[in-house]
Amino acid sequence: MTSVDHDERLAPLLERLEDYYDAAPRRAARAEDFGALTLFVREGAGWPFYARPSRGRAGAATAADVRRVRDRQRELGVPEAFEWVAESSPGLRAAVEEAGLVVHEHPLMVLDPDAPTPSAAAPGVDPGVSVRTLGPDDPALPGALAVPYLAFAEPGTAVGTAGAEGLAEAVRAGAADGSTRAAVERVRAGLTVVAAALQDGTALCAGQHQPVGEVSEIVGVGTLPAARRRGLGLAVTAALVADARSRGVGTVFLSAGDEDVARIYGRLGFRRVATALIAEPAR
């Protein structure tokens, strides 16, 4: 684990992030109270949520608390997932591991307020590729919503196999299960902003930011596996940063997949401030 220099200046920032982590899921999920832990359960189709430390509750969660939440997740048929910030909830990792889950570390990064806003252009992107945000009625939006599913199903940064045919199938699946419709309505309501790198109308890479007041998290940046190694993820992230700032967002943050990816985000001015932890059953 890479050490992070924490001092009193970071405490207000981490508190803002904790407020965000508690507020953002409530727009699309119901919250079930397990004392020191809160389980967010998505209402309708879309990415499943997780459990995390309860906001404003004193006392650390125990392994018994984690097991109770896992029992409920299994009952609901949702992933047994927990997410939290190591530095904000230092005792939770031991409880989660005692309850039998595996913990993964990810650099938690915040955009330097003094970092320049990226240009609307996408430097380094192939000619013929455009990068822009997509409105709710944009015909490219369903593909942009589907791309991350393919990207995360084939993890890593190496060029992969999923391409246009897989994307078309994922678009059909999103239409069938209602997840695309739900995401489009979030875009229409301003709860989610989607940016994509497009070539001939096809989304090659896409990501989102989800503003809550003056804070927004960049999530789900993924590239169609067959289109990797072209700088598209960085270009899409730059577009999301520019959009967030245009909306008056003062704190833009994300969790990087690993240290190598974190260095790429560093080119835009993101700096590591903490460690995001994700726990799940062993595979």
Side-chain angles (χ1 to χ4, degrees):
M1 172 178 170
T2 301
S3 63
V4 181
D5 180 20
H6 289 281
D7 55 34
E8 293 182 358
R9 292 172 298 176
L10 278 180
L13 171 60
L14 294 180
E15 284 295 304
R16 284 201 302 279
L17 297 188
E18 287 298 317
D19 286 341
Y20 177 94
Y21 281 130
D22 183 73
R26 294 176 186 271
R27 294 177 163 188
R30 71 177 184 270
E32 296 193 2
D33 186 357
F34 287 82
L37 295 169
T38 297
L39 172 61
F40 293 105
V41 182
R42 178 172 288 281
E43 303 281 14
W47 292 99
F49 283 109
Y50 41 77
R52 61 170 295 103
S54 298
R55 192 73 178 120
R57 291 291 185 91
T62 65
D65 294 327
V66 176
R67 292 189 186 100
R68 284 200 303 130
V69 174
R70 292 187 67 187
D71 288 343
R72 177 58 173 158
Q73 289 169 323
R74 286 192 291 268
E75 179 184 348
L76 293 168
V78 300
E80 296 173 53
F82 293 72
E83 298 188 9
W84 72 100
V85 177
E87 292 77 7
S88 299
S89 302
L92 183 54
R93 180 168 190 160
V96 164
E97 291 179 334
E98 184 181 339
L101 296 175
V102 176
V103 178
H104 307 280
E105 301 180 357
H106 301 275
L108 180 60
M109 308 183 77
V110 172
L111 185 67
D112 187 334
D114 297 324
T117 298
S119 164
V125 171
D126 298 346
V129 175
S130 62
V131 181
R132 58 182 174 83
T133 57
L134 307 179
D137 300 314
D138 195 308
L141 183 57
L145 294 169
V147 162
Y149 287 93
L150 296 175
F152 300 142
E154 198 172 332
T157 59
V159 176
T161 57
E165 184 177 338
L167 180 59
E169 183 178 341
V171 169
R172 288 192 293 270
D177 67 14
S179 59
T180 297
R181 187 183 313 111
V184 168
E185 291 310 308
R186 284 184 59 85
V187 173
R188 194 180 305 280
L191 301 177
T192 296
V193 177
V194 178
L198 307 169
Q199 187 168 39
D200 298 326
T202 298
L204 302 180
C205 177
Q208 305 175 8
H209 81 87
Q210 311 208 34
V212 177
E214 295 184 0
V215 181
S216 191
E217 182 180 17
I218 292 177
V219 298
V221 178
T223 301
L224 194 65
R228 287 172 176 159
R229 299 291 181 92
R230 296 167 61 180
L232 301 178
L234 189 64
V236 166
T237 304
L240 293 169
V241 166
D243 182 88
R245 283 192 162 170
S246 75
R247 296 169 185 265
V249 172
T251 302
V252 182
F253 75 102
L254 55 80
S255 296
D258 54 36
E259 297 294 342
D260 290 336
V261 175
R263 282 190 283 273
I264 295 173
Y265 287 131
R267 299 177 194 171
L268 294 177
F270 283 91
R271 301 289 177 259
R272 182 171 181 175
V273 299
T275 303
L277 300 179
I278 298 176
E280 60 184 4
R283 295 179 181 177

